[in-house]
Amino acid sequence: MILRLALGTAEESVQALRERLESAGLRVLRSPEEARPILAVAGKVPEKLAAELRTRAEVAEIVKPSGELLLVARAMRELPSVVDVGGVRIGGGEVVVIAGPCSVEGRELVLEVARKVKDCGAHLLRGGAFKPRTSPYAFQGFGVEGLRQLKDAGEAVGLPVVSEIMDASDLPAFLEHGIDCLQIGARNMQNFTLLKAVARANRPVLLKRGLAATAEEWLYAAEYLFEGGCEQVILCERGIRTFEKATRNTLDLTVLPLLREWSHVPVIVDPAHAAGIARIIPPLARASIAAGADGVAVEVHLNPEEARSDAAQALLPRELLGIVSDARILAAVTGRRLHP
Amino acid sequence: MTPETRHQLRSLDRALLALIDERARLLASVAATDPGRKPAVDDMLRRHEGLFPAQGIAEVFEAIDRHSASFAQERG
């Protein structure tokens, strides 16, 4: 249950209500919303207490969310939330483009790609240092050295960086190297130990949708992050497994307007992992923004055929430029703006 | 005019305004003397196959260019 209190409710009244609920054995969580006090109540509220709540003057609205999705629920904020990744605001009416190599493949290569994606107008640099590969014989990434190279490249061109963390034991390295946004990949979306550890890190988190996860399961993973103290969460749709074999996955754009209704958390789309085919990524990126995505994430390589991972879905810089140009137009005509 | 047509016109007008303003935002960081600021009117007219008169298109973009000078970045 979510209790949206009346505007201007005195802090003493909020505390009194909170104590009343806690005295009934319920856990109470408070939204950071400043405009209005909002409380989430975890657990089953007894009918007698629920009836009392309906009569209390300070309770303006009682919202019953789906299941136990509380902190991610739309009712927990007055406006959709905005996540600040190194000065780049994600959500709140601005559209961003995240781009970079699938894997960090060396200092010079990542720096060159960083320069190109910056020139093309991308806002964040992505790059994998710890790679979750299906085959144990595939390139696994450069690990900590890759993080260092990515961050150095980002700093050299003035772009915040995002990289995937696979194991909680690597968290100190991500923090030490100043990775601006921690990505939790599709395969780890329900790695609850990792979610809890990352939630405590006080860094923005990009949470990819599991390849066989429902939207509700995905939001529960985000709820773990919020419950653990992380308020800076970005969801990332990246396609789900279906019977369709023509593409690597099926991009689920239906989820975008639904998430807008259900949650305040910003959502971006990774059309590259959904498609797995470079040439069909630009139209999917356009569709994503038109459907309301707060941004898109794509993979860029100077020589895609030589990429050490996901070569088939890597874009050339000129293709990225087309996506940024399209994003600018689509953001404008859908009442938003491309991030400066 | 039907209400539906009027509705569609208003939507298009809002989109045109949003795009003109987005063009202005992009230009705000470009030097006033940069020749790339100017709309490529000739190129657009060559591609144009629609109903709107060519002279009108030229005038619209000339007006956009003229007013764009007011928010040009003051540098060389």
Side-chain angles (χ1 to χ4, degrees):
Chain A
M1 172 183 290
I2 293 171
L3 303 175
R4 291 169 56 82
L5 306 191
L7 292 170
T9 301
E11 193 56 33
E12 301 79 50
S13 299
V14 178
Q15 286 308 317
L17 177 59
R18 186 169 192 156
E19 287 164 16
R20 171 75 183 94
L21 293 160
E22 287 173 342
S23 70
L26 298 165
R27 185 175 173 201
V28 181
L29 304 134
R30 185 166 180 176
S31 166
E33 182 64 58
E34 292 175 358
R36 174 196 296 274
I38 304 173
L39 302 176
V41 185
K44 182 167 173 51
V45 179
E47 184 45 45
K48 193 175 172 187
L49 178 54
E52 176 193 325
L53 292 171
R54 286 194 288 272
T55 65
R56 290 183 78 127
E58 69 270 38
V59 178
E61 184 183 7
I62 298 175
V63 179
K64 290 184 178 170
S66 172
E68 291 187 307
L69 291 172
L70 297 171
L71 298 175
V72 299
R74 181 65 190 85
M76 286 299 280
R77 302 289 171 91
E78 292 289 89
L79 296 171
S81 56
V82 177
V83 176
D84 186 314
V85 181
V88 175
R89 289 162 54 85
I90 301 178
E94 288 194 346
V95 171
V96 300
V97 176
I98 303 172
C102 177
S103 302
V104 176
E105 299 179 356
R107 181 167 291 279
E108 290 306 314
L109 282 172
V110 71
L111 180 58
E112 190 59 24
V113 174
R115 286 194 185 109
K116 292 286 186 188
V117 303
K118 169 79 173 180
D119 288 347
C120 289
H123 308 99
L124 286 121
L125 177 65
R126 54 141 296 135
F130 295 88
K131 298 298 300 176
R133 305 304 301 279
T134 301
S135 166
Y137 308 110
F139 177 54
Q140 304 288 308
F142 285 143
V144 174
E145 177 56 25
L147 292 180
R148 188 176 296 121
Q149 293 176 4
L150 178 70
K151 182 62 181 178
D152 287 350
E155 286 187 336
V157 302
L159 292 178
V161 298
V162 53
S163 195
E164 178 171 355
I165 180 167
M166 291 167 54
D167 192 315
S169 67
D170 295 323
L171 189 55
F174 278 74
L175 301 181
E176 182 187 333
H177 289 91
I179 303 304
D180 300 281
C181 182
L182 308 175
Q183 176 181 315
I184 294 181
R187 293 167 179 81
N188 272 315
M189 187 204 83
Q190 286 186 312
N191 181 339
F192 301 116
T193 306
L194 180 62
L195 290 170
K196 288 177 181 178
V198 166
R200 292 191 292 269
N202 197 27
R203 285 280 162 90
V205 176
L206 181 70
L207 178 63
K208 286 204 160 187
R209 183 182 186 176
L211 49 160
T214 65
E216 187 178 51
E217 289 164 342
W218 186 19
L219 283 174
Y220 270 113
E223 184 83 19
Y224 263 92
L225 293 169
F226 277 86
E227 192 274 340
C230 177
E231 299 279 352
Q232 301 267 295
V233 179
I234 307 147
L235 299 170
C236 181
E237 159 64 29
R238 45 78 71 205
I240 50 176
R241 282 268 170 91
T242 70
F243 54 79
E244 178 56 66
K245 294 191 288 187
T247 51
R248 184 174 176 181
N249 292 285
T250 297
L251 185 60
D252 181 13
L253 293 182
T254 57
V255 82
L256 293 175
L258 289 176
L259 287 173
R260 277 277 177 269
E261 293 177 11
W262 298 345
S263 177
H264 59 83
V265 181
V267 191
I268 68 164
V269 172
D270 169 0
H273 283 85
I277 305 167
R279 71 175 184 281
I280 67 170
I281 292 169
L284 295 178
R286 290 195 291 272
S288 302
I289 295 167
D294 294 298
V296 291
V298 294
E299 295 174 340
V300 173
H301 200 282
L302 302 181
N303 300 295
E305 63 278 9
E306 294 175 12
R308 297 185 73 175
S309 56
D310 288 350
Q313 65 197 44
L315 300 174
L316 289 163
R318 63 176 163 78
E319 293 169 316
L320 171 65
L321 180 60
I323 286 175
V324 173
S325 299
D326 290 344
R328 184 179 295 281
I329 293 168
L330 288 164
V333 298
T334 54
R336 296 171 295 161
R337 283 181 165 180
L338 190 71
H339 183 80
Chain B
M1 181 185 291
T2 65
E4 292 79 8
T5 302
R6 187 179 300 115
H7 177 84
Q8 291 184 51
L9 280 173
R10 297 294 171 266
S11 296
L12 284 169
D13 289 346
R14 282 195 296 272
L16 286 168
L17 175 60
L19 289 172
I20 290 170
D21 197 53
E22 188 58 32
R23 189 180 189 282
R25 288 180 72 232
L26 190 58
L27 276 183
S29 60
V30 178
T33 53
D34 192 319
R37 295 177 61 91
K38 288 196 170 296
V41 178
D42 291 345
D43 181 56
M44 280 186 282
L45 291 178
R46 266 196 302 276
R47 296 164 187 264
H48 179 57
E49 296 176 345
L51 289 176
F52 201 86
Q55 179 60 30
I57 289 173
E59 288 171 10
V60 166
F61 279 99
E62 281 159 12
I64 289 173
D65 183 39
R66 193 167 61 251
H67 290 287
S68 294
S70 63
F71 47 80
Q73 193 178 79
E74 296 302 323
R75 61 183 167 88

